[in-house]
Amino acid sequence: MNKGLIGKKLGMTQIFAEDGRRIAVTVVEAGPCVVVQKKSVAKDGYSAIQVGFGAKEASRANAAQVGHCKGAGAGVFTHYRELRMDDTDAYNLGDVIEAAVFEEGDLVDVTGTSIGKGFAGVIKRWGFKGGRSSHGSRFHRAPGSIGCSATPSRVFKNKKMPGQLGNEKVTVQRLKVVRVDAADNLILLGGAIPGSANGVVLIKDSVKAKK
């Protein structure tokens, strides 16, 4: 990966292409992000930069956070993410990364936290079919048998069961950058991205961009 930044999902809307096609897009406030730390192969075993997003009052940060960001000289932040880089020589502490780092037509991967929907059964959570609704079957939305016989006499891990739906880390790949508004640090991405409005997301080069 060669570029990336932290953003805030603002919501969805639609725009029209020059040929009249209607395109559903997600508007993201992308940056500005500040480089607060650099990592090298010699010292840390891998090459990366850490960026901060969202200004935070120093009085509301602890001493560790203030000291960590002191080298950048741009205050402290509410969100931090690490970006693996092939080469970090192009970045220095305190450098600002803005939406203009991406261009129209780029393919990106977006990582965020999906919307939490609480406890859900197997039909809503996993798409189970369920039982018949008539003739007194008494089996409608239950998961059914989950166990094995005497051997191995236990329930296997990762069995599809009722539980919390959503509220997990999700990455959507190969989203197209439809438009970049460098003046307002806005990026319009074709399609939907994880999370609710005002949720924090990480935008970076698509790992499948060349495939």
Side-chain angles (χ1 to χ4, degrees), residues 21 35 52 68 73 113 153 156 161 209:
R21 291 181 299 110
V35 179
H68 180 71
T113 302
S153 190
F156 288 113
M161 301 278 284

Side-chain angles (χ1 to χ4, degrees), residues 13-185:
T13 185
Q14 61 186 17
I15 62 174
F16 292 90
E18 294 181 357
D19 58 2
R21 291 181 299 110
R22 184 178 63 179
I23 305 174
V25 296
T26 302
V27 183
V28 179
E29 180 186 342
C33 299
V34 178
V35 179
V36 297
Q37 186 182 20
K38 292 178 62 176
K39 294 191 174 183
S40 63
V41 176
K43 184 178 180 181
D44 304 287
Y46 63 98
S47 178
I49 61 172
Q50 186 188 72
V51 296
F53 171 73
K56 181 178 182 179
E57 294 183 12
S59 60
R60 301 184 66 87
N62 56 38
Q65 290 176 323
V66 174
H68 180 71
C69 299
K70 186 177 181 179
V76 293
F77 305 92
T78 56
H79 303 284
Y80 301 89
R81 294 292 188 275
E82 198 170 272
L83 302 172
R84 293 287 185 103
M85 295 283 181
D86 298 330
D87 184 13
T88 61
D89 292 338
Y91 295 95
N92 297 309
L93 295 183
D95 285 356
V96 178
I97 305 175
E98 298 179 327
V101 70
F102 290 105
E103 299 177 355
E104 183 176 329
D106 287 348
L107 294 178
V108 297
D109 294 342
V110 181
T111 302
T113 302
S114 61
I115 297 174
K117 299 179 180 178
F119 187 93
V122 291
I123 290 180
K124 183 176 180 180
R125 191 183 188 199
W126 300 111
F128 281 21
K129 181 180 178 181
R132 60 191 298 176
S133 302
S134 60
H135 296 282
S137 69
R138 301 175 65 182
F139 177 74
H140 306 296
R141 299 181 68 87
S145 175
I146 62 170
C148 306
S149 59
T151 303
S153 190
R154 65 184 176 88
V155 178
F156 288 113
K157 289 183 178 180
N158 301 319
K159 192 75 173 178
K160 291 181 178 179
M161 301 278 284
Q164 185 185 38
L165 175 61
N167 193 31
E168 59 184 0
K169 184 178 179 180
V170 177
T171 299
V172 179
Q173 296 181 320
R174 287 180 62 85
L175 291 179
K176 186 176 182 179
V177 177
V178 177
R179 189 175 297 170
V180 177
D181 185 349
D184 294 324
N185 275 320

